[in-house]
Amino acid sequence: MRTTSFHSFPCHSISQRNVSALTPNTLALKYREKRITLIRATMEATQNDENALSQPQPQTLSKNAQKKLLKQQRYEAKKAEKKAQEKRQKKEDAERKRKEWEETLASVTEEERAKLIESRRSLRKERMEKRSEEKEKKMERLNKAMQCGHKIVVDLDFAHLMTPSEIQSLVQQIMYCYAVNGRCTSPCHLWLTGCEGEMGSQLKRLPGFDNWIIQKENRPYIEALQEQKENLVYLTADAETVLEELELKKIYIVGGLVDRNRWKGITMKKAKEQGIQTAKLPIGNYLKMSSSQVLTVNQVMEILLKFIETKDWKVSFFQVIPQRKRPEADPEGCQVEGEENEGIDDQLDSKKKCVEVPSQRKRPEADPEGCQEVEGEENEGKDDQLDRKKKCIEVPSHG
């Protein structure tokens, strides 16, 4: 009969009294089960460690990015506070007007009261008719744009890279896009692609979203517009090609991403991987931005719509881009280089450099105590100060 050695197995879990009552085969099976259980536990722990290492680590922000994020958060908080204050003010104004109306009705006779009420009803009816007429014209323009308008796609396939507050901000921008497109005399054919998941849920919460006259696609644009891939143009600030004209056959894509500069170059990378064309707005040809040339989705949309209407990039940029993003821009047309700018700089330098010129008026000598012996000396001293402040000479710039 073959015997089994037990020196390779730990024996501390079984008492010495029970060992004599077990056969060698039974002991071998028990130790084998414990060893298998231990090996399995070790393998599971190792697998969990490997899975944890393989998962993408959260991207840490640099100090500069953290400062920008904090500044943006303060701006959002201030904006929310301002909005709440405006809402309260609007409510207070409505309450005040209601009280004034009631006081007006109480202070007149029955006949005058009936006339006032009738006049108010007719004004309200007129406003409602005008609003209904404008709505019909808007729907007519949007339906026509769906057939033969310029095509602009908002790529909403970046929801997984954004926080809930950033998704909400993007949804608000899309709402502004639809509003400005409806008011425009020459609206475009607006597409929303990637309307699924959290992004789709947030969009459906918008009032009247199901009735919007736009093209909605749950699929990415590369799948929904696969047959027109050669006409796709992704608008990104990282592109080398400058957009000069908007062609009717082209489909222009705007990246729907609110990332606070965490994902720089991601739209350019996506377009290259998909093998589609890229282009950037000719912002640098007309003005100098104070920061990056990255704009919000609704700003890009407004610029494109304004260009469709005016065929003038300069007018489109200056009417849409906020002043805070172009502090050095000249509203008459900003040039980056050239003699014209140099002349303007020289004029600005000469205006700023002023030298005090002593007054031509002679002062009488002052006594040791600092007091002058001529009458009106105090007024003369003030006049001299005014003369010195007013007399400035232009000094040519050294630049």
Side-chain angles (χ1 to χ4, degrees):
M1 183 177 181
R2 184 177 178 181
T3 60
T4 305
S5 176
F6 305 104
H7 296 290
S8 59
F9 298 98
C11 304
H12 57 273
S13 60
I14 301 178
S15 62
Q16 190 68 29
R17 184 182 59 184
N18 295 332
V19 170
S20 58
L22 298 174
T23 63
N25 289 337
T26 306
L27 285 172
L29 290 174
K30 286 186 174 294
Y31 284 123
R32 187 175 298 172
E33 290 175 359
K34 287 183 175 293
R35 188 63 178 269
I36 292 173
T37 303
L38 181 62
I39 292 173
R40 286 178 178 174
T42 306
M43 291 177 65
E44 289 178 0
T46 305
Q47 186 66 28
N48 291 336
D49 293 340
E50 291 178 355
N51 292 338
L53 292 174
S54 63
Q55 292 178 354
Q57 299 297 323
Q59 186 178 6
T60 58
L61 298 177
S62 62
K63 289 185 177 180
N64 191 24
Q66 290 177 4
K67 289 181 181 178
K68 288 183 179 179
L69 181 60
L70 184 60
K71 183 179 179 180
Q72 182 65 28
Q73 289 174 349
R74 287 198 296 265
Y75 171 76
E76 294 290 345
K78 187 176 180 181
K79 184 178 178 181
E81 182 181 356
K82 183 179 178 181
K83 187 175 181 180
Q85 185 177 358
E86 291 176 352
K87 188 175 181 180
R88 289 194 300 269
Q89 186 64 39
K90 187 177 180 180
K91 187 176 180 180
E92 292 174 0
D93 292 342
E95 183 66 20
R96 176 178 53 81
K97 290 180 180 179
R98 185 185 65 81
K99 289 182 179 180
E100 291 177 355
W101 172 252
E102 291 177 352
E103 291 174 359
T104 302
L105 292 179
S107 61
V108 297
T109 62
E110 288 290 338
E111 184 179 355
E112 292 176 342
R113 186 184 299 115
K115 290 181 179 180
L116 288 173
I117 294 174
E118 183 64 27
S119 175
R120 189 176 188 181
R121 286 176 179 174
S122 62
L123 287 174
R124 184 177 297 176
K125 183 179 180 181
E126 184 179 349
R127 285 198 304 266
M128 293 295 291
E129 291 176 353
K130 185 178 179 181
R131 189 178 301 174
S132 177
E133 183 180 354
E134 291 176 352
K135 186 177 180 180
E136 290 179 0
K137 291 181 179 179
K138 171 185 172 182
M139 294 177 65
E140 183 180 351
R141 292 195 304 269
L142 291 175
N143 285 319
K144 184 178 178 181
M146 293 275 285
Q147 302 297 327
C148 57
H150 289 81
K151 302 177 184 65
I152 299 178
V153 174
V154 181
D155 178 16
L156 303 179
D157 203 23
F158 298 104
H160 62 288
L161 301 179
M162 293 184 288
T163 64
S165 62
E166 290 170 345
I167 293 176
Q168 181 63 31
S169 177
L170 178 58
V171 169
Q172 293 292 323
Q173 294 179 26
I174 294 171
M175 184 175 64
Y176 297 150
C177 289
Y178 181 72
V180 72
N181 191 44
R183 292 193 300 266
C184 187
T185 56
S186 302
C188 69
H189 181 186
L190 181 60
W191 290 63
L192 298 180
T193 61
C195 303
E196 58 182 359
E198 181 63 21
M199 180 62 66
S201 300
Q202 292 290 339
L203 286 172
K204 290 178 181 178
R205 294 180 183 177
L206 293 176
F209 176 74
D210 293 335
N211 299 325
W212 283 13
I213 306 176
I214 59 174
Q215 199 82 20
K216 306 167 191 174
E217 277 286 348
N218 292 333
R219 297 175 297 169
Y221 64 87
I222 198 66
E223 296 180 9
L225 302 170
Q226 181 65 36
E227 297 179 356
Q228 305 182 60
K229 184 178 179 180
E230 67 278 2
N231 292 325
L232 298 179
V233 181
Y234 213 117
L235 299 181
T236 170
D238 301 310
E240 296 181 359
T241 305
V242 179
L243 187 65
E244 299 293 343
E245 293 289 339
L246 294 179
E247 302 178 31
L248 276 172
K249 66 177 182 178
K250 298 292 185 181
I251 303 174
Y252 299 96
I253 305 169
V254 180
L257 178 62
V258 179
D259 62 336
R260 317 301 182 202
N261 292 326
R262 292 196 312 272
W263 303 98
K264 293 182 179 180
I266 190 171
T267 53
M268 184 67 182
K269 181 181 178 183
K270 180 177 182 179
K272 282 185 176 180
E273 291 176 350
Q274 294 176 343
I276 63 177
Q277 304 173 58
T278 59
K280 63 180 178 181
L281 299 178
I283 298 177
N285 297 347
Y286 300 94
L287 56 87
K288 184 177 180 181
M289 300 280 282
S290 61
S291 57
S292 67
Q293 295 187 7
V294 179
L295 303 172
T296 61
V297 175
N298 57 294
Q299 286 172 349
V300 175
M301 184 74 178
E302 287 186 65
I303 290 172
L304 296 176
L305 290 172
K306 187 62 66 174
F307 179 77
I308 293 172
E309 180 182 349
T310 64
K311 304 299 180 183
D312 191 327
W313 283 117
K314 183 175 71 174
V315 172
S316 304
F317 292 141
F318 278 96
Q319 289 190 8
V320 175
I321 297 178
Q323 180 64 36
R324 68 178 184 273
K325 289 193 174 184
R326 49 180 178 87
E328 301 179 10
D330 180 9
E332 297 299 329
C334 201
Q335 297 180 0
V336 178
E337 297 177 354
E339 296 180 358
E340 184 177 350
N341 276 343
E342 293 178 2
I344 294 174
D345 293 339
D346 292 342
Q347 291 178 12
L348 291 175
D349 292 338
S350 64
K351 288 180 181 178
K352 292 179 181 177
K353 295 184 179 179
C354 296
V355 179
E356 284 190 359
V357 179
S359 173
Q360 301 296 328
R361 185 182 298 172
K362 293 184 180 179
R363 289 187 181 183
E365 295 182 358
D367 62 2
E369 298 297 326
C371 299
Q372 297 180 358
E373 298 176 354
V374 182
E375 292 182 3
E377 56 190 6
E378 183 177 354
N379 288 335
E380 289 182 4
K382 291 181 179 178
D383 292 339
D384 291 342
Q385 291 178 6
L386 291 173
D387 290 340
R388 284 198 302 272
K389 290 180 180 178
K390 292 179 180 178
K391 292 182 180 180
C392 295
I393 61 174
E394 291 188 355
V395 180
S397 172
H398 297 288

